Amino acid sequence: MHRQWYLIDDEGIHPLDLGQESEDFWDKFTHDGEEGPWSAFSQVVVDASATRTVEGLFRTAPELEVGLEEVTDQPELWDGSMMVASGEELTVISEPGVDLDDRVMAAVWAEELIAHLRCDGAFFGYDPAAGTLFLTVFSEGKPEFAWCDSLSPGPSYAIVFQEDGQCTNEDPRRFALVQMDMPETSPLLDRHQFLLVNLRKLGLNSVSPQLEDLPIAAVLARKPDE
């Protein structure tokens, strides 16, 4: 894509020559990641089989003081339950129809599960209340970075985890631009594309907030607190 920029001042309108670097920037900026407004959702994707993932959920649930029971063969109990779906060579976990604040699969459990499985994975989602997109990426069970960006006042950060146990806190917009090989000073950021680029690295090529068209491998319901 080629764009012509102009400077408008008291002496008139003057075309600006920003050189090849500007053209390269615009070539890299796309709206491919804009899939329309997402509803509120959060999901976990892991590079593990559905069977192994379900076993991991049952093993880590007691650490979060959560009781689970499998209701895969009882569709009448699916509403409000945790869905385990097979997506390509990955497994996706979500709670369609459950408010974000009421979901049991939150960041803490996602980290425990992926650490238990010792696999690659991610915890990600969208909260329309503040236009917040969030993504935590894991490699071999360990977090690589946690990214969160809000359009309205809300959480915004990019925490990068180091091998020595330390971490750095960076500006989320600048971090995303660098990750996408774009100028740090760019005023434009396709946040959906940033999310999708990182998910595609894991092998998840599209986001299905309600697990549309993904085969459900198992359904787990939370047991009432005793």
Side-chain angles (χ1 to χ4, degrees):
M1 176 187 298
H2 177 73
R3 297 198 179 203
Q4 178 65 60
W5 291 90
Y6 297 88
L7 173 65
I8 303 176
D9 57 22
D10 293 338
E11 298 180 358
I13 302 176
H14 316 280
L16 294 178
D17 182 9
L18 299 181
Q20 184 63 36
E21 181 178 353
S22 175
E23 292 185 15
D24 290 343
F25 162 71
W26 286 110
D27 286 341
K28 294 172 184 174
F29 183 79
T30 72
H31 289 277
D32 293 342
E34 298 291 350
E35 298 186 351
W38 285 336
S39 57
F41 80 99
S42 63
Q43 292 182 351
V44 176
V45 57
V46 292
D47 185 12
S49 68
T51 300
R52 187 164 168 247
T53 299
V54 170
E55 291 174 351
L57 287 168
F58 275 105
R59 286 185 176 273
T60 55
E63 300 176 22
L64 282 299
E65 299 183 349
V66 175
L68 291 177
E69 60 179 339
E70 186 167 353
V71 295
T72 308
D73 296 329
Q74 299 171 270
E76 67 276 10
L77 299 179
W78 285 19
D79 187 33
S81 295
M82 182 184 299
M83 306 284 187
V84 180
S86 298
E88 295 144 13
E89 296 181 359
L90 306 170
T91 299
V92 181
I93 306 166
S94 187
E95 296 168 79
V98 180
D99 290 342
L100 287 180
D101 293 339
D102 297 330
R103 296 190 173 200
V104 294
M105 178 49 69
V108 175
W109 195 356
E111 184 172 354
E112 289 288 340
L113 174 65
I114 296 174
H116 172 79
L117 295 174
R118 297 183 181 180
C119 67
D120 295 346
F123 174 68
F124 61 99
Y126 173 63
D127 183 356
T132 303
L133 279 170
F134 54 90
L135 168 69
T136 302
V137 172
F138 299 83
S139 177
E140 297 181 351
K142 299 178 181 179
E144 287 190 346
F145 68 84
W147 178 87
C148 185
D149 181 79
S150 300
L151 297 179
S152 302
S156 293
Y157 54 80
I159 300 174
V160 182
F161 301 93
Q162 311 294 337
E163 287 291 337
D164 59 6
Q166 301 186 48
C167 62
T168 59
N169 195 347
E170 304 179 19
D171 177 84
R173 300 287 177 93
R174 185 177 298 112
F175 176 82
L177 289 167
V178 170
Q179 281 253 322
M180 296 176 71
D181 194 26
M182 294 170 67
E184 294 183 41
T185 56
S186 168
L188 299 173
L189 170 64
D190 188 334
R191 304 186 311 149
H192 292 78
Q193 182 72 359
F194 170 71
L195 193 73
L196 289 171
V197 163
N198 280 280
L199 294 176
R200 285 168 184 156
K201 291 178 182 177
L202 291 170
L204 188 67
N205 293 319
S206 63
V207 173
S208 301
Q210 304 304 320
L211 299 180
E212 303 92 340
D213 302 324
L214 289 179
I216 303 301
V219 182
L220 308 178
R222 182 175 183 177
K223 292 182 179 178
D225 295 333
E226 301 180 352

